[in-house]
Amino acid sequence: MKTIMITGAGSGVGRVTARAFLAAGWHVVLTGRREAPLVETAGGHANARIIQMDVSDAASVEAGFAAVEAEFGRLDALFNNAGVSLKSTMIDEIKVEDWMNLCNINITGMFLCARAAFGLMRRQAPQGGRIINNGSVSAHVPRYGSVPYTMSKHAVTGLTRTLSLDGRQFNIACGQVDIGNALTEMAHAMTQGVPQADGSIKVEPVMDATHVASSVLHMAELPLSANVQFMTVMASAMPFIGRG
């Protein structure tokens, strides 16, 4: 039975994806800062393993991956999912501490988890594994007033591309899922109205987050000889193509 670690598994895309992998017969390591939401995600499933882990803390990440190695002996996949966003704001109104917190999670957290997963996959036998980073359509085209989030997601794309290159000799594949308007707690505002490039406020179409989960599952279940480098999964009518 294969093992995947999912960061940010206590809510949103992480929760839905964790449940999809459990239903598909994987061992699923659920990580997050708070235990109660992870317990709720797991729902008592026998193949769920809960680890409290703060992705922005290097010692916490190292301890989490060490626990996975001790229990399962290997890690087949990482869904590098944990992330936060900020309210739509002009750059000169953004508090530096809010910027730093977002970077600590969205950039440093992605790096720390990828670093730990890469090291484990490199030394395990048989060698190799797959890292799937959660990007965003904002990794390609920004949303109005989204400097911190957009910058962080462009950084994730750089991480994905570099790991794809560096991982080749170790049989480590890396891909990225870019999500647009999946209906989660983070995207609920889309149904109420969000700022557009012309300054207006408009409701945007959303999609069921289970479509993201099935996409990540497809990426993870490919043989390591094949890789989905980038996949965009979005509400069909959202303003992405032609955004701005």
Side-chain angles (χ1 to χ4, degrees):
M1 186 181 296
K2 290 187 176 182
T3 300
I4 185 170
M5 175 186 280
I6 298 177
T7 64
S11 63
V13 165
R15 168 172 287 178
V16 176
T17 303
R19 289 174 174 169
F21 274 82
L22 287 169
W26 286 60
H27 283 302
V28 180
V29 181
L30 315 171
T31 75
R33 287 179 289 185
R34 296 179 296 127
E35 183 178 24
L38 298 174
V39 171
E40 186 177 346
T41 297
H45 200 291
N47 292 334
R49 168 77 158 87
I50 293 170
I51 296 178
Q52 282 186 265
M53 190 176 85
D54 180 353
V55 298
S56 66
D57 182 271
S60 179
V61 170
E62 289 296 330
F65 278 84
V68 170
E69 184 173 13
E71 181 168 347
F72 300 106
R74 67 178 291 107
L75 182 67
D76 297 288
L78 165 68
F79 182 32
N80 214 0
N81 167 70
V84 296
S85 63
L86 295 177
K87 183 179 178 181
S88 178
T89 311
M90 293 296 98
I91 187 170
D92 58 313
E93 299 174 13
I94 297 166
K95 295 180 181 179
V96 173
E97 56 265 35
D98 290 340
W99 156 256
M100 294 302 296
N101 179 66
L102 181 144
C103 287
N104 285 339
I105 296 170
N106 290 16
I107 301 177
T108 300
M110 283 273 186
F111 164 79
L112 291 173
C113 291
R115 176 179 180 271
F118 193 99
L120 176 51
M121 292 171 180
R122 183 178 176 182
R123 66 178 177 267
Q124 65 194 11
Q127 189 179 62
R130 188 181 307 273
I131 297 170
I132 301 171
N133 293 325
N134 185 343
S136 168
V137 294
S138 291
H140 304 277
V141 180
R143 181 178 289 282
Y144 180 83
S146 67
V147 165
Y149 187 76
T150 298
M151 286 181 67
S152 73
K153 292 304 183 179
H154 275 65
V156 172
T157 298
L159 174 66
T160 299
R161 292 184 186 279
T162 307
L163 291 182
S164 294
L165 176 61
D166 293 353
R168 288 177 187 170
Q169 62 181 310
F170 307 114
N171 204 28
I172 298 172
C174 184
Q176 181 170 312
V177 58
D178 294 320
I179 303 166
N181 289 14
L183 186 54
T184 63
E185 296 92 330
M186 185 181 291
H188 180 71
M190 308 295 175
T191 66
Q192 307 299 311
V194 289
Q196 305 295 310
D198 62 2
S200 64
I201 303 293
K202 293 181 181 178
V203 172
E204 292 189 7
V206 295
M207 66 173 177
D208 194 307
T210 58
H211 300 310
V212 178
S214 62
S215 298
V216 175
L217 181 62
H218 167 69
M219 294 169 75
E221 291 194 326
L222 288 172
L224 289 175
S225 58
N227 187 41
V228 175
Q229 187 67 72
F230 292 97
M231 178 187 287
T232 302
V233 187
M234 53 177 260
S236 298
M238 73 167 287
F240 171 55
I241 303 299
R243 182 186 286 188

